[in-house]
Amino acid sequence: MSQSDQILAESRFLECPIRDSLNQLVIDLLDKLSGEQPLLTFLRLLIGESGRFLELAQTFVRNFEQLNLEKLSYLLAQHPDLHVTDPEITARLFVGSIVHYYSIIREILPLDRDRFVNGLLDLIVGEN
């Protein structure tokens, strides 16, 4: 199934409190990335070379990232506990923060994973 278990299986995502759903999604994505060194290497290469190889970045975005962002945007828009003005922007910030944390911050400027997750969720759904 994957794609973070189809974004936590739509019905489960929508039935749980939004903070719990997003927390599980972040943890699942970080766990998946931590076991995928080739994916991490690819992401770093893609980020670093996207200026020179724009078609490569466009292909990745069209065939992978856009599908995930659309699904996450839909779920954020439909969740009864979350009221965001622009679910697409929220989804992009959410995914972009995770990629940034995992591909750059985690090794260069260490930041505790739980602190990162809690801070990201605080921004999206508010503080506990």
Side-chain angles (χ1 to χ4, degrees):
M1 191 174 195
S2 205
Q3 304 239 342
S4 211
D5 293 324
Q6 291 302 330
I7 314 235
L8 294 175
E10 186 174 325
S11 62
R12 232 178 65 215
F13 184 91
L14 295 174
E15 291 169 1
C16 292
I18 188 67
R19 189 173 188 96
D20 295 344
S21 294
L22 290 176
N23 184 67
Q24 189 60 52
L25 182 58
V26 174
I27 297 301
D28 288 352
L29 288 170
L30 290 175
D31 286 348
K32 179 173 176 46
L33 286 171
S34 69
E36 298 280 341
Q37 187 59 42
L39 177 59
L40 178 59
T41 301
F42 175 73
L43 285 173
R44 286 180 175 157
L45 179 65
L46 184 68
I47 291 166
E49 296 295 332
S50 63
R52 292 184 342 148
F53 300 101
L54 185 58
E55 286 183 30
L56 175 64
Q58 290 170 334
T59 299
F60 174 77
V61 168
R62 258 193 318 275
N63 293 303
F64 177 73
E65 191 169 301
Q66 184 174 359
L67 299 173
N68 290 325
L69 287 172
E70 287 173 3
K71 180 70 170 177
L72 182 56
S73 296
Y74 169 79
L75 292 173
L76 292 173
Q78 299 303 313
H79 201 287
D81 293 345
L82 186 64
H83 308 286
V84 293
T85 307
D86 192 332
E88 180 184 359
I89 293 298
T90 303
R92 287 176 183 242
L93 291 170
F94 183 79
V95 171
S97 295
I98 293 167
V99 169
H100 178 73
Y101 169 80
Y102 199 79
S103 63
I104 299 170
I105 296 297
R106 187 176 60 93
E107 293 177 7
I108 297 170
L109 296 169
L111 178 63
D112 178 70
R113 181 171 123 163
D114 290 338
R115 183 175 168 212
F116 165 76
V117 171
N118 288 326
L120 179 59
L121 297 179
D122 288 348
L123 285 173
I124 293 175
V125 301
E127 295 183 35
N128 277 331

